[in-house]
Amino acid sequence: MNEINNLALLSTLIAATLSAGTPLLLAGLGLLVNERAGVVNLGAEGMMLLAAVAGFALALATGSDVLALAGGALAGALAALLFGVFAIYLNTNQYATGLALSLLGGGLSAFVGIDYVSRNLPRLPLTGIPWLSDLPWFGPALFRQHWAVYLALLLALLIGVFLQRSRAGLALRAVGESPESAHALGLPVRRVRLAAVCFGGACCGLAGAYLSVIYTPMWVEGMVAGRGWIALALTPFATWRASRVVIGAYLFGGVTLLQFHLQSIGVEISSALLSMLPYLATILVLALISRNPVWIQRNMPASLGRPFTPGQ
Amino acid sequence: MLNALSRRALLAALLATAVALAGCGSKDDAKKADEKKAEAVKPDPLKIGFIYVGPTGDAGWTFAHDNARKAVEQEFGDRVKTSFVESVPEGPDSERVVRDLVGQGNKLIFGTTFGYMETMLKVAEETKGVRFEHATGYKSAENMRTYDSRTYEGAYLVGVIAGKMTKSNKLGVVASVPIPEVLRNINAFTLGAQSVNPKVTTRVVWINKWFDPGKEREGAVALMDQGADVLMQNTDSTAVVQAANEKGKFAFGWDSDMSKFAPEAHLASAIINWAPYYKKAVREALDGGWKTEHNWWGLKEGAIDVVALSDKLPAEVKALVEARKQGIKDGSFVIWRGPIVDQAGKVMLAKDQVAEDKWMHDIKWYVKGVQGAVPK
């Protein structure tokens, strides 16, 4: 009896971790790509909020989750484009511009979203992967999820391969390591950076739309509730590696869930402590990698946050 | 010397021109002034300022306050003139907003969140001609008083429904932050359920936030996974009722009517209505009788209600809720009547003793039947 219960609890935890980790994973991957190109975009929270309201509006109008997520990605990419024009072409301070985008996104999404507050979106039934989701034990937990969960994992794989194994990925990394050298080699540094930033925005947009359309089907001001910041903490935690972003996203997503499930079965644990765990873990990892020059050299983009103007 | 003289001459010339211009205008203005005098027989409207912690479109806390502001406008018409500032963060920054509202000539100012307490108190002590109304706080002054609502009454009534409707005898609460108000609501909910079903137990999940739809949802899911089949929330979004709807369990709306978010799961909503208090406060400011008080309003004053009862509730349950509601209103029924014991069985309120407000404000423990420990 007890074992069956434990199995059921574990199964629920796995399923919940997968769905809670997905927005963090999507946003984290996008931010990884634009940081690898040497640009820090602190506007993740704002882009996610804008995408959340755009995705929700589209889902309400069309009833299609595909269109909603695509619209969210587009909204995120557009917001990132705005950031990119300022930070990359006008050489504004990346951190300040990113913060501005984060505030703008919060305010603008609230303004645009007024009419969508307290509107109801039907939750989409989960079909999952046929056959696999009928497997015993963890079959349903692992395979009866929204397709966006698998899209995020696929994206992680593709980005990992792209960055480490492809020529284009090498070019992108070169732009992040040493824009001067990349420029000397004839790479269009600023265009590569802008493309990477827009990709990052699109991923954050997917994450935001996932939250408002699939995870908690509703729109309320500020509903992203700090997940953009956790995604930003993910990239240093993952030492700028796609595979470790996956681990970090599920870890951070899982930790927040675990505290609720522990509380519900009566294990007493300080929820305030658990809430700060993601940030604590990131600081710890940063402290660790800063003591290890090899790790930093290999993965942290050397020109992260530094603007670049060709010909200077 | 010469320079100073010519400057003075210039000033004099300008002044003369201005006087001449004003003189010309004054004849035309005379008529207008007469019209104005006719209007002025009515006193100037009382200017009332509201400070909100969130946006008026939050569908929850601030939305409810703004509805009450509109009710005040409707009730008093052109005797009042209201304005509001929204999304003002708690803490020191709010002082600037309070001072702004004073500067604009507002004579009655409502601050609608706990975190304005210190700044309002500070400004109140400096501007004696203005009256301040502060929600959910405990500090007051000669020209500043507090108001709050007895949310536990709503929690108790939905508890009665929960006790009748549960099959597993396990109830769940998605709770925000462990302060006395929330602990009081959890206890009232449990007492309400126990009053009709002694076998029930309540399990609480704390999410440490007032508003985070994702966490509220996960907290609700965790409770339902452990067998809870009726949920209450003391958080702000509609995620809990929606999660219950998905899982085929029951839940209650909180602060506002949430029935349309969960047509299957929603059993009733415990709501706050600030309008009766705001009307009283404005009436006293207009007609006299305003004095420093700690107003804590509930069902009796129309500040709390349980609405949108589901068709799924049997008639006898509806009747029972109605009876208790009436009882609380006319004072024949008391929620906090001893014996009330805590988890360890310690008597917190002796048999037949009725709790005072002070006692309720100090609740930092769970009643028997709530499982788990109060977070430190």
Side-chain angles (χ1 to χ4, degrees):
Chain A
M1 179 64 198
N2 220 348
E3 259 170 37
I4 295 171
N5 270 344
N6 287 343
L7 199 68
L9 176 65
L10 198 59
S11 181
T12 330
L13 268 178
I14 291 172
T17 300
L18 280 176
S19 63
T22 295
L24 299 177
L25 179 56
L26 284 167
L29 286 170
L31 296 168
L32 172 79
V33 170
N34 70 236
E35 286 180 19
R36 268 300 176 92
V39 186
V40 177
N41 185 354
L42 293 185
E45 184 89 0
M47 296 191 291
M48 286 172 77
L49 280 164
L50 282 170
V53 73
F56 186 84
L58 270 170
L60 206 62
T62 65
S64 153
D65 53 346
V66 182
L67 280 177
L69 286 182
L74 186 68
L78 285 175
L81 180 70
L82 182 71
F83 165 85
V85 167
F86 276 93
I88 299 168
Y89 283 92
L90 303 176
N91 279 351
T92 57
N93 181 299
Q94 290 182 11
Y95 296 95
T97 315
L99 279 176
L101 176 61
S102 144
L103 296 173
L104 172 77
L108 188 61
S109 62
F111 178 68
V112 177
I114 288 173
D115 291 340
Y116 296 108
V117 174
S118 73
R119 295 289 289 275
N120 212 355
L121 194 65
R123 199 177 158 88
L124 302 151
L126 295 176
T127 44
I129 303 173
W131 191 73
L132 281 177
S133 57
D134 296 328
L135 284 177
W137 294 315
F138 302 123
L142 290 173
F143 300 109
R144 193 168 293 153
Q145 299 276 356
H146 191 268
W147 53 262
V149 172
Y150 309 110
L151 176 74
L153 281 167
L154 183 69
L155 207 59
L157 185 71
L158 291 178
I159 288 172
V161 172
F162 168 79
L163 285 176
Q164 302 302 328
R165 301 263 184 273
S166 79
R167 234 189 133 68
L170 185 66
L172 185 128
R173 280 190 290 145
V175 164
E177 289 297 329
S178 169
E180 293 80 10
S181 318
H183 179 65
L185 284 171
L187 290 171
V189 171
R190 297 200 291 191
R191 259 183 284 158
V192 169
R193 285 190 162 182
L194 190 65
V197 162
C198 287
F199 179 81
C203 288
C204 287
L206 272 179
Y210 176 88
L211 281 173
S212 69
V213 177
I214 295 149
Y215 192 56
T216 45
M218 66 164 90
W219 162 254
V220 208
E221 181 179 346
M223 66 173 295
V224 173
R227 286 180 184 79
W229 299 106
I230 293 189
L232 276 164
L234 255 178
T235 47
F237 174 83
T239 60
W240 290 273
R241 295 292 293 267
S243 54
R244 294 180 195 148
V245 172
V246 179
I247 297 169
Y250 290 139
L251 194 66
F252 290 0
V255 160
T256 31
L257 289 173
L258 189 64
Q259 53 170 312
F260 304 144
H261 285 270
L262 287 179
Q263 284 187 55
S264 77
I265 58 172
V267 179
E268 302 309 329
I269 185 159
S270 161
S271 54
L273 182 77
L274 281 169
S275 299
M276 71 180 200
L277 254 177
Y279 305 102
L280 211 62
T282 303
I283 293 170
L284 195 73
V285 168
L286 281 175
L288 282 177
I289 62 168
S290 68
R291 295 178 65 88
N292 186 336
V294 182
W295 274 24
I296 294 191
Q297 268 170 20
R298 279 217 186 119
N299 296 314
M300 183 177 174
S303 301
L304 190 62
R306 260 180 46 209
F308 172 74
T309 315
Q312 270 184 1
Chain B
M1 182 74 188
L2 224 149
N3 223 344
L5 256 179
S6 64
R7 213 180 280 160
R8 227 176 272 167
L10 186 70
L11 270 175
L14 275 174
L15 203 67
T17 326
V19 169
L21 279 174
C24 289
S26 68
K27 273 175 205 159
D28 298 332
D29 284 344
K31 234 194 216 167
K32 278 185 199 162
D34 277 349
E35 282 167 15
K36 261 194 191 151
K37 218 174 266 170
E39 269 175 28
V41 176
K42 270 189 288 181
D44 284 339
L46 175 73
K47 290 185 83 174
I48 309 168
F50 292 80
I51 314 171
Y52 300 143
V53 68
T56 52
D58 71 348
W61 182 256
T62 295
F63 179 70
H65 283 282
D66 199 51
N67 277 345
R69 180 188 65 84
K70 288 176 186 157
V72 163
E73 281 202 322
Q74 200 149 33
E75 173 94 359
F76 297 98
D78 53 9
R79 293 183 70 197
V80 297
K81 190 167 182 300
T82 71
S83 61
F84 64 84
V85 187
E86 58 185 341
S87 298
V88 178
E90 297 189 311
D93 277 355
S94 58
E95 185 178 331
R96 184 184 52 79
V97 181
V98 181
R99 287 191 192 282
D100 268 0
L101 286 173
V102 170
Q104 287 161 22
N106 289 291
K107 293 293 171 212
L108 184 64
I109 293 175
F110 290 88
T112 61
T113 190
F114 182 81
Y116 300 156
M117 184 164 69
E118 299 299 337
T119 54
M120 284 179 79
L121 192 67
K122 195 172 156 196
V123 181
E125 279 167 356
E126 291 166 21
T127 47
K128 293 291 179 205
V130 179
R131 284 161 175 156
F132 294 86
E133 300 265 357
H134 178 235
T136 72
Y138 56 85
K139 289 189 180 172
S140 58
E142 190 191 330
N143 57 336
M144 173 167 155
R145 65 181 182 185
T146 63
Y147 63 99
D148 200 352
S149 56
R150 297 178 186 266
T151 46
Y152 66 84
E153 293 180 342
Y156 180 89
L157 291 176
V158 298
V160 171
I161 299 174
K164 284 281 188 188
M165 296 301 282
T166 179
K167 291 195 177 67
S168 65
N169 290 330
K170 288 181 182 169
L171 310 181
V173 179
V174 179
S176 48
V177 188
I179 56 172
E181 182 195 347
V182 180
L183 291 165
R184 195 164 58 227
N185 289 337
I186 294 167
N187 286 345
F189 177 68
T190 308
L191 290 176
Q194 285 171 342
S195 73
V196 294
N197 180 353
K199 281 187 297 221
V200 294
T201 56
T202 305
R203 175 67 79 185
V204 186
V205 167
W206 296 93
I207 65 162
N208 270 337
K209 293 232 191 163
W210 287 98
F211 174 82
D212 183 335
K215 286 190 175 177
E216 289 170 51
R217 176 189 153 73
E218 292 304 342
V221 170
L223 287 164
M224 290 187 282
D225 280 344
Q226 288 307 311
D229 61 352
V230 187
L231 302 183
M232 187 187 83
Q233 66 183 72
N234 203 339
T235 51
D236 293 349
S237 91
T238 54
V240 173
V241 290
Q242 282 176 314
N245 210 49
E246 255 167 63
K247 298 245 169 191
K249 304 291 192 314
F250 293 127
F252 300 103
W254 189 249
D255 283 354
S256 61
D257 179 356
M258 295 185 179
S259 54
K260 68 174 173 179
F261 294 98
E264 297 302 316
H266 179 269
L267 290 178
S269 281
I271 63 157
I272 307 178
N273 179 11
W274 297 102
Y277 180 74
Y278 281 15
K279 286 180 189 167
K280 159 200 149 87
V282 171
R283 186 168 293 117
E284 288 177 352
L286 278 170
D287 303 338
W290 196 99
K291 59 178 189 294
T292 306
E293 303 168 316
H294 293 279
N295 292 289
W296 202 15
W297 281 24
L299 276 163
K300 194 170 76 182
E301 295 88 357
I304 290 289
D305 205 354
V306 171
V307 298
L309 270 63
S310 163
D311 294 337
K312 291 196 176 68
L313 299 182
E316 53 122 359
V317 176
K318 283 186 181 173
L320 180 62
V321 171
E322 193 53 39
R324 293 267 164 98
K325 205 195 265 187
Q326 286 310 322
I328 294 170
K329 276 184 190 171
D330 62 28
S332 63
F333 181 82
V334 181
I335 295 172
W336 308 101
R337 184 192 289 279
I340 292 178
V341 293
D342 76 355
Q343 286 175 305
K346 187 179 158 205
V347 178
M348 304 305 281
L349 193 65
K351 192 168 186 299
D352 291 330
Q353 202 180 337
V354 171
E356 290 166 5
D357 286 356
K358 169 83 178 64
W359 183 88
M360 287 184 237
H361 281 301
D362 287 341
I363 293 180
K364 294 182 185 94
W365 40 271
Y366 287 143
V367 293
K368 200 176 180 67
V370 183
Q371 296 177 332
V374 178
K376 294 282 174 333

